Amino acid sequence: MAMEKFNAAEAEDRLYKAWEAAGCFTAGANAKPGASSYCIMIPPPNVTGVLHMGHAFNNTLQDILVRWHRMRGFDTLWQAGTDHAGIATQMVVERQLAETQQPRRIELGREKFLEKVWEWKERSGGTIVNQLKRLGASCDWDRTAFTMAGAQGDTRVGHENSPNFHDAVIKVFVEMYNKGLIYRGKRLVNWDPHFETAISDLEVENIEVAGHMWHFKYPLAGGATYTYIEKDEDGSITLEEERDYISIATTRPETMLGDGAVAVHPTDERYAPIVGMLCEIPVGPKAQRRLIPIITDEYPDKDFGSGAVKITGAHDFNDYQVAKRGGIPMYNLMDTKANLRADGLPYAEQATTAQRIANGEESFDVAKIAAMNLVPEDYRGMDRFEARKKIVADITAEGLAVIENFTVTDAEGVESTDRRPLVENKPIMQPFGDRSKVVIEPMLTDQWFVDTTKIVEPALEAVRDGTVKVLPETEKKVYYHWLENIEPWCISRQLWWGHQIPVWFDASGAQYCAATEAEAQNLAGPDAVLTRDPDVLDTWFSSGLWPIGTLGWTGDAQTDAQNDMLQRFFPTSDLITGSDILFFWVARMMMMQLAVVDKIPFNTIYLHGLVRDAKGKKMSKSTGNVVDPLEIIDEFGADALRFTNASMASLGGVLKLDMQRIAGYRNFGTKLWNACSFAEYNEAFQHRSDAMPSPELALNKWIIGEVGRVRVAVDAAFDGYRFNDAASALYAFVWGSVCDRYLELSKPILKGEHSSGAAGRLETQTTLAWVLEQSMTLLHPIMPFITEELWGITGTRDTMLVHQDWPSYGLELIDEAATIEISWAISLIDAIRSARAQMNVPAGAKVPLVQVQNDAAGSAALAANMAQIQQMARITEVTIAAEMPKGSITVSAPHATFGLPLADIIDVASEKARLKKNMGKLAKELGGLRGRLNNPKFAASAPPEVLAETQANLAAREEEEQKLSEALARLAEIV
């Protein structure tokens, strides 16, 4: 009786609960005595997160490796956990407070607000963990870590195995501070005006928007003039005029108020006469307008705009570097909400002081300069974009906008020349906060930094010397580029949710860094009044300590030496993560672990790209192509999604998620299920044995050899992180070798229609059961649910499949003689089937076969497998002839020639007409496809996914053309 259909929705939940209840995922589960350790650290998803396709892909690969090592008896740990996600979590809780009409964050105060965050964490913070379980992730959930574990207010319960992560973070900060690796300084950072905090580059989305470039005149000081000359490529003068200004172009006029200089390229001859002179910023009260120098620097592009660039060091990252090189003052114009500043002394007084500094009459004091407000009273407190409009209007009204001539045509078609301010409408790349969705402002602020130049070299050397392997190899260049050009790492955030920076200040501003306030007070003295820095650490700082922090590192040598988990699993083994966080997380973990414990954090880094849609387009809500992995699991089951993920995980390949592939791999699972149902119907599992069969029949010897062959291929693929190769090998083996070949070839034997009789039937039943058990075992790391279900219902076992020993057999199982024999029979069957399909022979028609030539081995293979060949190829009989019978087509097998007499079975003329008609239609399609691809305009302008799709269509049509040509050639044989 056939087994009931596999119900993924019911079975997946039941099986996962059974695994958990049995402790199958606990660190060290199924480990053999003295086994080597294997540890993967999960890239901690945000505690606010929900499962997306990137998570599903990444965690599938991790789970495959973990299950594979666990079955092989390694001392295995897949460390789970979540990141506290400073900005994201604070945003979620603040939004919730607003929706429920509770007091706002500021009204609650820091302590009460953090209580609300912890309440939310307990209530909703485990969503993504439960979603990962639906995927089948076999993490040690009892050890689920959290990057804020142990911090003040931690209300978590039931996490006895989760280490105190907070204390580890604070200890590292204090140690690095005391070593001079962490310092406080004023630098330019990405500033989010909505959240009023610095953010990392990873949290910035650069989006192309419609923009404007305004051209303004900066008058030369004292009414000075010069001859401005432009030349063409041949050196001929195209423009010559006297100017009393230098022209600059800007997309952000509101920042002009903070200009410190105008820069031109050293080789730009147009401005050579005025380099070193002063020019006037053309905005603000006339009497207090500042004069700034015209300098040279390699940064300006002579061929872009006017070739002159205003240098506003406090509001542009490129300008910041020029200002640092040139000792140019950097004036901060905005407050934390990106409004123009309204604080400080009157503008006239501040402008006078700034001019004295520029003239060298007052000392260049960075702190003093940063505190100065050079925003005129008319603009103070204005929104930055409203100020932009007013500044443009004021400059234009004064006649200091560059003017261009343009042609107008009246109603009668008469042309005339008019003049207008030069404003270019052009697309610009604008930075937005990925969560706030507001325009990010480069801002000069006091922040805490890691002096990465002092800790970067060991991280570089570990990859250079091969101690740590990076896959694919191409990602090494990216790694080197990031770290060889590293900047100080801004680790402070102006938030409340996070690890509060352990530094206190006294009334004079002196710093006292300590793990606790009491320790800081001891450093400062009993009479000092201390105030703690309100900022928190960037989440990348705490997650940079993920490998040691999750394993309970304390920094105390004796305690850490007695920490069994730390000693067993650190350094960890493999890191599987996205290439987009190679610098932000992976490289920083390398630097931090080497700086703190002088050990690498992992041996191998496997990096993958973004999961894209079937056409290779990036998934986004705006384009409507986002795929929810939970919906896929609901429709197709977790195994189908996991197999799809594995099948597209080629090293460095583009990850294209095709729903048809997912449906196909669900069918693959059904194919395995039906094979087991077939075996059950034929009583194979009643004769199962834990021992490997020792068959006599070539068919059974052959399939056992194929099992050994695929085991070697799968292990080699997993060992080389070629998940797609493992999936491909298993698919070809289960669907092709087992289901399409072995099961079909075994039917006559199982029906008792084979010369081997009852002994052959018993041997085949035993072999079939063993082969299917091996199939379940080898497939388990990729498709754990359906294989575990089959394992449980097809026999009484000592252990669940998740803890079944991984097989160690290999190519020694191959019986060469049996392989040659069965391969010969299969090749003949395939050749006959192909010929029948090409000639459009009715499926139910049985055809005689004529042997024209065959050697001894082929004749023996034919005789031994006659029943199978007759059944699978729909052959009535085999006769021997010296020549090919008239009206036959040729069919070949190794060292053998056969004929299929078809003249009386098919309408040859009708078939020729059908094939020629199809060839004609195909020729038109091929012409169109080749025409598109040979068109240079199409090749140059078509999106990559369209080009790839067209090339794939051409290849498919050319293959079809070849098959039709072969079929016509076969028909020509029939005369």
Side-chain angles (χ1 to χ4, degrees):
M1 182 177 178
M3 300 184 305
E4 292 185 10
K5 189 176 180 180
F6 179 59
N7 183 343
E10 181 276 331
E12 288 171 1
D13 181 62
R14 168 171 47 80
L15 290 169
Y16 200 93
K17 288 176 178 176
W19 285 329
E20 283 201 288
C24 293
F25 308 151
T26 303
N30 201 48
K32 289 181 169 59
S36 300
S37 65
Y38 181 79
C39 177
I40 285 184
M41 292 280 162
I42 195 171
N46 286 350
V47 72
T48 57
V50 293
L51 193 70
H52 58 61
M53 277 310 308
H55 291 134
F57 178 81
N58 181 279
N59 283 276
T60 295
L61 303 192
Q62 292 178 75
D63 194 45
I64 289 171
L65 290 177
V66 166
R67 287 178 182 270
W68 179 52
H69 280 86
R70 190 186 289 124
M71 294 175 80
R72 292 162 69 205
F74 279 71
D75 185 10
T76 305
L77 167 65
W78 187 6
Q79 176 62 55
T82 54
D83 188 276
H84 64 277
I87 293 179
T89 305
Q90 187 159 314
M91 179 180 70
V92 167
V93 176
E94 287 195 71
R95 184 187 299 144
Q96 189 178 75
L97 291 175
E99 290 172 351
T100 55
Q101 299 181 334
Q102 295 184 62
R104 294 178 303 169
R105 173 172 64 93
I106 300 299
E107 294 167 344
L108 282 171
R110 188 168 193 147
E111 186 174 339
K112 292 293 183 183
F113 175 74
L114 292 179
E115 288 178 7
K116 295 287 186 183
V117 178
W118 281 110
E119 288 173 12
W120 175 89
K121 162 68 174 65
E122 283 305 306
R123 186 172 60 253
S124 306
T127 298
I128 196 165
V129 167
N130 293 324
Q131 292 173 337
L132 285 168
K133 291 181 179 182
R134 289 202 60 193
L135 184 68
S138 60
C139 299
D140 185 351
W141 298 112
D142 289 338
R143 289 190 49 81
T144 299
F146 182 52
T147 51
M148 281 286 286
Q152 184 177 358
D154 186 354
T155 57
R156 301 176 320 137
V157 292
H159 292 274
E160 294 80 7
N161 293 328
S162 177
N164 185 330
F165 207 102
H166 173 73
D167 285 358
V169 172
I170 297 302
K171 184 174 184 64
V172 168
F173 183 98
V174 173
E175 286 190 357
M176 292 183 73
Y177 177 94
N178 290 334
K179 292 177 181 177
L181 301 176
I182 289 178
Y183 65 92
R184 191 168 187 257
K186 194 175 293 291
R187 287 182 62 90
L188 205 63
V189 297
N190 295 304
W191 186 265
D192 189 315
H194 176 78
F195 292 115
E196 299 182 66
T197 181
I199 62 173
S200 72
D201 290 343
L202 192 65
E203 295 160 312
V204 176
E205 292 179 321
N206 289 295
I207 302 173
E208 187 177 274
V209 299
H212 305 282
M213 182 170 281
W214 290 269
H215 292 252
F216 298 127
K217 299 177 180 179
Y218 279 47
L220 298 179
T225 63
Y226 69 108
T227 303
Y228 177 82
I229 299 174
E230 288 186 358
K231 298 178 181 179
D232 61 18
E233 292 180 357
D234 298 326
S236 301
I237 295 175
T238 58
L239 174 66
E240 182 174 356
E241 63 182 16
E242 286 297 303
R243 287 186 177 180
D244 61 357
Y245 66 89
I246 184 169
S247 169
I248 63 95
T250 179
T251 60
R252 301 198 305 156
E254 68 278 10
T255 64
M256 294 168 63
L257 298 165
D259 288 353
V262 171
V264 297
H265 196 274
T267 62
D268 197 333
E269 296 178 358
R270 294 172 297 175
Y271 302 114
I274 58 173
V275 170
M277 296 176 65
L278 299 176
C279 61
E280 180 183 282
I281 300 173
V283 64
K286 185 68 175 175
Q288 287 88 32
R289 285 189 186 167
R290 291 188 296 116
L291 297 177
I292 57 177
I294 300 171
I295 65 170
T296 59
D297 192 271
E298 296 289 336
Y299 166 61
D301 182 349
K302 291 189 294 183
D303 299 320
F304 182 77
S306 68
V309 180
K310 70 186 198 67
I311 303 302
T312 318
H315 290 278
D316 182 275
F317 286 102
N318 290 315
D319 292 3
Y320 176 73
Q321 297 298 334
V322 177
K324 282 205 307 180
R325 287 195 294 269
I328 298 167
M330 292 183 268
Y331 299 107
N332 201 343
L333 302 173
M334 298 181 194
D335 63 18
T336 58
K337 294 183 181 294
N339 295 325
L340 268 61
R341 289 171 56 182
D343 63 314
L345 299 173
Y347 172 72
E349 188 174 335
Q350 298 279 254
T352 300
T353 303
Q355 193 63 63
R356 289 177 59 82
I357 293 172
N359 296 342
E361 298 167 10
E362 286 197 22
S363 61
F364 193 104
D365 185 318
V366 174
K368 180 179 179 179
I369 290 170
M372 293 171 61
N373 183 358
L374 291 182
V375 179
E377 275 75 12
D378 284 354
Y379 309 119
R380 289 193 175 189
M382 292 183 71
D383 170 81
R384 54 184 161 162
F385 300 120
E386 290 301 314
R388 175 182 296 177
K389 295 176 185 177
K390 180 170 173 52
I391 288 170
V392 170
D394 289 349
I395 295 174
T396 304
E398 193 175 335
L400 291 175
V402 174
I403 301 299
E404 66 171 345
N405 295 325
F406 69 101
T407 302
V408 294
T409 305
D410 63 18
E412 297 178 357
V414 178
E415 293 184 350
S416 60
T417 301
D418 204 347
R419 291 162 61 79
R420 64 187 174 193
L422 176 55
V423 182
E424 297 179 66
N425 298 321
K426 58 187 299 179
I428 60 173
M429 295 303 294
Q430 196 155 55
F432 288 83
D434 65 346
R435 292 186 176 87
S436 67
K437 307 305 178 186
V438 303
V439 176
I440 296 305
E441 188 68 38
M443 191 170 290
L444 193 64
T445 62
D446 287 314
Q447 302 289 343
W448 289 95
F449 296 89
V450 173
D451 190 347
T452 44
T453 58
K454 294 181 179 178
I455 62 171
V456 70
E457 193 55 38
L460 277 166
E461 190 57 33
V463 174
R464 286 189 188 125
D465 66 13
T467 302
V468 176
K469 182 167 60 175
V470 177
L471 298 173
E473 287 276 334
T474 52
E475 292 291 349
K476 279 186 181 180
K477 292 181 180 178
V478 181
Y479 181 86
Y480 295 147
H481 174 76
W482 274 114
L483 296 190
E484 288 169 354
N485 298 278
I486 200 163
E487 292 283 336
W489 171 17
C490 177
I491 58 170
S492 48
R493 298 291 181 265
Q494 289 64 53
L495 303 169
W496 285 357
W497 173 241
H499 303 276
Q500 191 170 354
I501 288 173
V503 176
W504 284 258
F505 300 92
D506 64 17
S508 69
Q511 302 172 7
Y512 304 94
C513 180
T516 66
E517 184 172 5
E519 292 176 39
Q521 193 71 62
N522 287 336
L523 293 173
D527 298 329
V529 177
L530 299 182
T531 303
R532 187 171 186 174
D533 192 310
D535 291 354
V536 300
L537 286 165
D538 172 22
T539 52
W540 294 108
F541 184 88
S542 49
S543 61
L545 299 169
W546 190 245
I548 56 173
T550 53
L551 294 173
W553 175 86
T554 66
D556 179 80
Q558 186 173 354
T559 302
D560 291 339
Q562 296 173 354
N563 181 337
D564 178 58
M565 297 301 289
L566 188 65
Q567 297 304 316
R568 281 163 63 190
F569 296 112
F570 186 82
T572 68
S573 306
D574 294 327
L575 178 71
I576 314 292
T577 193
S579 57
D580 56 327
I581 56 174
L582 171 57
F583 175 70
F584 297 98
W585 187 49
V586 180
R588 287 171 176 171
M589 278 194 289
M590 287 280 284
M591 289 191 293
M592 293 291 280
Q593 261 64 209
L594 285 162
V596 174
V597 295
D598 197 25
K599 290 182 180 179
I600 58 168
F602 25 71
N603 298 311
T604 302
I605 303 166
Y606 176 98
L607 299 164
H608 59 79
L610 294 173
V611 178
R612 301 175 180 272
D613 70 10
K615 294 184 177 180
K617 291 183 179 178
K618 183 179 178 180
M619 292 186 187
S620 69
K621 292 180 181 177
S622 60
T623 54
N625 63 346
V626 173
V627 179
D628 184 346
L630 296 178
E631 291 180 2
I632 293 176
I633 292 172
D634 289 339
E635 182 175 359
F636 299 103
D639 287 324
L641 175 58
R642 289 170 62 105
F643 202 95
T644 303
N645 286 334
S647 70
M648 63 183 182
S650 61
L651 276 171
V654 178
L655 309 179
K656 296 181 182 180
L657 185 71
D658 189 340
M659 300 304 290
Q660 291 183 340
R661 288 181 78 179
I662 298 173
Y665 292 133
R666 176 189 57 187
N667 296 341
F668 173 64
T670 302
K671 191 81 170 177
L672 175 66
W673 187 272
N674 291 341
C676 291
S677 182
F678 170 84
E680 182 73 17
Y681 176 81
N682 284 282
E683 301 176 345
F685 292 115
Q686 294 181 24
H687 300 283
R688 65 165 295 275
S689 170
D690 291 334
M692 185 182 298
S694 300
E696 297 295 327
L697 293 176
L699 175 63
N700 292 326
K701 291 180 179 180
W702 165 77
I703 194 61
I704 288 173
E706 293 303 294
V707 173
R709 198 189 306 274
V710 75
R711 200 285 301 167
V712 171
V714 169
D715 273 19
F718 283 160
D719 194 53
Y721 306 89
R722 292 177 283 105
F723 301 92
N724 61 314
D725 287 348
S728 178
L730 286 165
Y731 187 93
F733 168 72
V734 173
W735 193 298
S737 299
V738 177
C739 297
D740 284 356
R741 305 299 188 200
Y742 180 65
L743 263 59
E744 293 299 319
L745 290 167
S746 70
K747 283 179 180 178
I749 305 173
L750 294 170
K751 290 177 182 178
E753 298 172 355
H754 191 268
S755 59
S756 59
R761 183 173 191 272
L762 177 60
E763 173 190 304
T764 303
Q765 288 171 321
T766 304
T767 303
L768 176 57
W770 183 83
V771 167
L772 289 173
E773 287 182 357
Q774 300 312 301
S775 300
M776 299 173 208
T777 302
L778 295 172
L779 270 171
H780 181 77
I782 302 179
M783 304 182 85
F785 290 109
I786 194 170
T787 54
E788 187 72 79
E789 182 78 339
L790 286 169
W791 187 259
I793 64 177
T794 57
T796 302
R797 321 282 184 176
D798 295 332
T799 180
M800 298 177 78
L801 181 55
V802 66
H803 284 175
Q804 170 68 4
D805 285 347
W806 188 260
S808 58
Y809 50 69
L811 301 182
E812 74 279 359
L813 298 188
I814 297 173
D815 184 303
E816 291 294 343
T819 298
I820 291 171
E821 177 184 319
I822 300 303
S823 296
W824 188 95
I826 289 172
S827 70
L828 178 59
I829 291 167
D830 286 347
I832 296 170
R833 283 177 161 181
S834 175
R836 289 174 61 110
Q838 282 184 337
M839 296 298 97
N840 209 23
V841 176
K846 292 190 175 183
V847 183
L849 184 68
V850 179
Q851 176 180 300
V852 178
Q853 181 268 327
N854 200 356
D855 64 7
S859 297
L862 179 64
N865 297 278
M866 182 64 75
Q868 292 96 321
I869 293 170
Q870 286 180 306
Q871 177 173 305
M872 294 179 68
R874 309 292 290 169
I875 297 301
T876 56
E877 59 185 356
V878 179
T879 59
I880 299 174
E883 296 180 356
M884 185 69 65
K886 189 175 181 180
S888 299
I889 63 170
T890 303
V891 175
S892 299
H895 308 293
T897 304
F898 296 86
L900 276 180
L902 298 179
D904 298 329
I905 296 175
I906 63 172
D907 186 333
V908 176
S910 175
E911 278 304 302
K912 281 185 178 179
R914 180 181 69 85
L915 291 172
K916 286 180 178 179
K917 182 179 179 180
N918 289 343
M919 283 286 280
K921 290 171 62 178
L922 193 59
K924 291 182 180 180
E925 289 185 51
L926 284 166
L929 289 168
R930 287 167 179 154
R932 292 179 73 188
L933 289 169
N934 291 332
N935 184 342
K937 290 184 178 179
F938 174 75
S941 61
E945 63 271 13
V946 173
L947 189 62
E949 184 177 1
T950 306
Q951 291 169 334
N953 284 340
L954 176 61
R957 296 295 177 271
E958 287 176 337
E959 183 179 353
E960 188 177 346
E961 180 185 41
Q962 182 180 351
K963 289 180 179 179
L964 289 174
S965 297
E966 290 173 357
L968 281 168
R970 280 185 182 276
L971 281 173
E973 294 182 62
I974 304 176
V975 289

